[in-house]
Amino acid sequence: MLYTIEVLGGNSMNIMQTIKQQGLIKSGEVIGIAVSGGMDSMSLLHYMVEHKDELDVDIVAITIDHKIRENSGDDAEFVMSYCREHRIRCHKFVVDALKLSQTRNIGIEQAAREARYGMFDALIQKGIVDKIAIAHHMGDQAETILLNILRGSGLNGASGMGYVRDGVYIRPMLDVETDDVLKYAMINEIPYVEDETNADDSFSRNFLRNKIMPQLRTKFGAVDRNIINFSSVCKEDDRYITSIINDEAIIHTGSTVKIPLNYFIYPSSITGRIIMRSLEKINSIYDIERKHIEAIRNLVDSENGKKIDLPHSTYAVKEYEYITITHKEKKVVVPQKTSIKTGSFDFGGKYKIKVVRTTEFKKQKDALIMDADKVKGAVWRTREKGDTFEKFGGGSKSLRTYLIDQKVPARLRDSLPVLAKGSEILCVLGVEISEKVRIDKGTKAAYVVSFKEI
């Protein structure tokens, strides 16, 4: 439903002070405005267009149809129509948040957020915009803080949203009260659409916004400002504690992070933040509560291989000297056997293997080197029943026993590439070569093998 508001006179929303004090915008930048068609984002778009000359910036509207509702495309078209009428450059995108939520086994809200920010990231990376402005205001901030606390968050969640995220996402309206946004829209006759899902109290934020916050404001007056003042204290404390954490504690590879067990000797205020930072590195911080942090800590004293599930298809597992946090993977597609040869190739959609032929037999970091003649006829494959391996330096055993001895995590063993002749394993990728293919005085050429996870 479209609302057109009457002019009441005056202009109650001034966000220029926030932009300048927080250094949100630089002269000459192209600022993308995330516009849903709702009152908040339409007001921000209007304000930024009105002040673009003062800020010396270009303004671009960005609207996304998430296909969550049958008529969600109407909202995006409303934004496009407004922009055409006011000669504002606008980009429209369509994403299928429902399909993404089913594919990724995540909530619809999280799926919509991931799809939305994926589009924003692409616009920034392609240089179409320099920054994205989001219309979160003081009311949104208070709701976010309270919602995080109710979900069991620590200081980090109680700190709320920042003015800037990742250097490119800015919130110029974060100091603007909800009533002032409404006044601004009314005064300037800014049309907007109302998302009917905002009335659905089955969503936690809607329940808080529609039921709880109005009662709190009636009872306690300036509750939004008081919540945010509390948040500022939490943010200062959290910033200090976080500053003393050593990022080297976290081993990050692709969609996996590993935390050494010996880092869990530190106080819970430190280890909790190490865990949170680890989750941030693999984009799995959403919906993490204190109970999840405690469950991860408890893995330290559990048996090897103990695993716990986390929100959004992520899990934590104790793997020898580490707590590993990673995304659940689909069943690995076992690739066809591939003969050894020079060049790079994809192995099962999980590894990119690179083989280089050389006559310089120097040890290389993160690579294995073996006699090229001794591996003729060998193929890359995954492990099979009956495989054996002769360790570098001598001593033969089953591949299964060898992988356990080398503390290769169980989650990796079935997908780990090995170089084999029959049931004889000549190389375990990223781990070791067999004694049978080592370089010796008779070696004429060698293969240097390296890899990376896809």
Side-chain angles (χ1 to χ4, degrees):
M1 184 176 182
L2 180 63
Y3 292 88
T4 304
I5 310 299
E6 294 181 1
V7 178
L8 300 182
N11 186 332
S12 60
M13 188 173 74
N14 182 5
I15 63 177
M16 189 62 65
Q17 185 176 1
T18 298
I19 291 175
K20 292 182 177 179
Q21 283 184 347
Q22 301 299 327
L24 301 185
I25 292 172
K26 295 179 182 177
S27 175
E29 288 184 324
V30 179
I31 308 299
I33 313 296
V35 188
S36 66
M39 180 179 68
D40 301 339
S41 61
M42 290 296 293
S43 295
L44 177 60
L45 176 63
H46 181 278
Y47 186 96
M48 295 299 291
V49 169
E50 288 294 306
H51 294 82
K52 65 184 179 67
D53 292 338
E54 181 181 352
L55 292 166
D56 187 27
V57 295
D58 286 331
I59 298 299
V60 179
I62 304 166
T63 188
I64 299 175
D65 174 12
H66 296 89
K67 297 186 72 174
I68 295 175
R69 295 175 286 115
E70 288 186 9
N71 63 342
S72 60
D74 295 343
D75 296 355
E77 186 53 43
F78 162 75
V79 174
M80 292 289 291
S81 177
Y82 177 88
C83 289
R84 283 193 294 267
E85 181 183 348
H86 294 84
R87 298 183 179 180
I88 302 168
R89 189 153 52 107
C90 183
H91 294 285
K92 174 188 172 182
F93 300 96
V94 179
V95 297
D96 194 335
L98 181 58
K99 183 178 179 180
L100 179 62
S101 72
Q102 294 169 343
T103 302
R104 292 279 309 280
N105 192 28
I106 58 178
I108 187 68
E109 290 177 283
Q110 173 68 357
R113 184 181 187 280
E114 289 187 7
R116 182 166 61 251
Y117 277 91
M119 287 294 181
F120 293 160
D121 287 342
L123 289 171
I124 293 168
Q125 290 166 6
K126 291 178 181 179
I128 296 173
V129 298
D130 297 301
K131 289 173 181 172
I132 304 285
I134 301 168
H136 291 138
H137 51 70
M138 188 181 295
D140 296 321
Q141 177 76 301
E143 291 168 5
T144 297
I145 294 164
L146 193 53
L147 194 59
N148 288 343
I149 293 171
L150 293 173
R151 284 172 170 167
S153 171
L155 285 181
N156 181 265
S159 299
M161 299 178 286
Y163 293 100
V164 184
R165 184 171 73 79
D166 298 334
V168 292
Y169 293 102
I170 60 175
R171 298 183 175 97
M173 289 172 57
L174 214 51
D175 293 327
V176 179
E177 295 188 23
T178 308
D179 287 346
D180 287 340
V181 181
L182 176 60
K183 291 175 185 176
Y184 184 85
M186 294 171 68
I187 290 164
N188 292 284
E189 294 186 291
I190 300 172
Y192 61 91
V193 293
E194 188 70 48
D195 184 346
E196 63 261 29
T197 62
N198 289 341
D200 184 356
D201 291 339
S202 65
F203 293 105
S204 298
R205 183 176 288 274
N206 287 349
F207 176 76
L208 191 65
R209 176 177 295 165
N210 300 333
K211 300 292 186 182
I212 305 303
M213 293 301 292
Q215 294 185 56
L216 290 177
R217 290 179 184 122
T218 300
K219 182 71 174 180
F220 298 102
V223 66
D224 297 63
R225 176 62 66 183
N226 291 338
I227 290 173
I228 290 170
N229 288 341
F230 165 75
S231 168
S232 299
V233 175
C234 293
K235 189 175 295 185
E236 290 178 11
D237 291 348
D238 186 56
R239 187 180 293 120
Y240 170 73
I241 299 172
T242 301
S243 70
I244 64 178
I245 294 175
N246 184 359
D247 239 6
E248 293 178 1
I250 304 166
I251 302 168
H252 179 206
T253 307
S255 61
T256 300
V257 285
K258 297 167 67 176
I259 308 169
L261 294 184
N262 57 5
Y263 279 92
F264 286 89
I265 64 172
Y266 294 108
S268 59
S269 59
I270 299 296
T271 58
R273 283 168 175 79
I274 291 175
I275 292 170
M276 293 295 283
R277 187 168 290 182
S278 299
L279 289 162
E280 286 175 355
K281 286 180 179 292
I282 58 172
N283 297 318
S284 293
I285 198 70
Y286 194 74
D287 283 344
I288 291 294
E289 303 174 13
R290 180 170 292 277
K291 65 181 180 182
H292 300 122
I293 302 299
E294 290 301 321
I296 293 172
R297 281 201 194 99
N298 291 338
L299 286 175
V300 174
D301 298 319
S302 64
E303 69 276 10
N304 185 60
K306 174 70 175 178
K307 182 171 71 172
I308 60 164
D309 289 328
L310 300 170
H312 309 304
S313 299
T314 303
Y315 68 93
V317 57
K318 182 178 181 180
E319 293 180 338
Y320 303 104
E321 289 85 21
Y322 298 94
I323 297 297
T324 299
I325 306 174
T326 187
H327 294 290
K328 292 179 182 177
E329 296 181 348
K330 295 180 179 178
K331 188 175 181 180
V332 175
V333 178
V334 178
Q336 292 182 339
K337 297 177 181 180
T338 305
S339 298
I340 186 167
K341 57 185 177 181
T342 57
S344 298
F345 66 98
D346 180 305
F347 187 88
K350 184 174 176 63
Y351 299 98
K352 178 74 74 175
I353 301 176
K354 182 179 181 182
V355 181
V356 177
R357 189 180 178 90
T358 182
T359 55
E360 295 183 5
F361 311 141
K362 296 179 181 179
K363 188 175 181 180
Q364 298 186 27
K365 184 180 179 182
D366 298 327
L368 297 173
I369 185 168
M370 50 193 165
D371 191 305
D373 289 331
K374 294 177 182 178
V375 297
K376 284 183 178 178
V379 295
W380 292 105
R381 61 170 173 81
T382 53
R383 68 172 179 166
E384 296 176 355
K385 188 176 182 180
D387 283 344
T388 60
F389 183 74
E390 185 172 340
K391 297 186 298 179
F392 192 82
S396 182
K397 57 177 61 181
S398 72
L399 179 61
R400 178 181 179 278
T401 301
Y402 173 75
L403 293 176
I404 293 172
D405 290 346
Q406 292 297 308
K407 298 182 177 179
V408 175
R411 62 186 171 85
L412 301 177
R413 294 173 197 162
D414 287 336
S415 62
L416 188 65
V418 295
L419 187 64
K421 276 187 179 180
S423 61
E424 195 173 60
I425 304 303
L426 305 179
C427 171
V428 181
L429 189 70
V431 182
E432 192 174 44
I433 64 167
S434 166
E435 173 68 20
K436 294 186 176 182
V437 295
R438 70 181 301 171
I439 303 293
D440 57 30
K441 292 181 179 179
T443 300
K444 297 176 182 178
Y447 285 139
V448 177
V449 181
S450 58
F451 77 101
K452 64 178 180 179
E453 290 189 39
I454 297 175

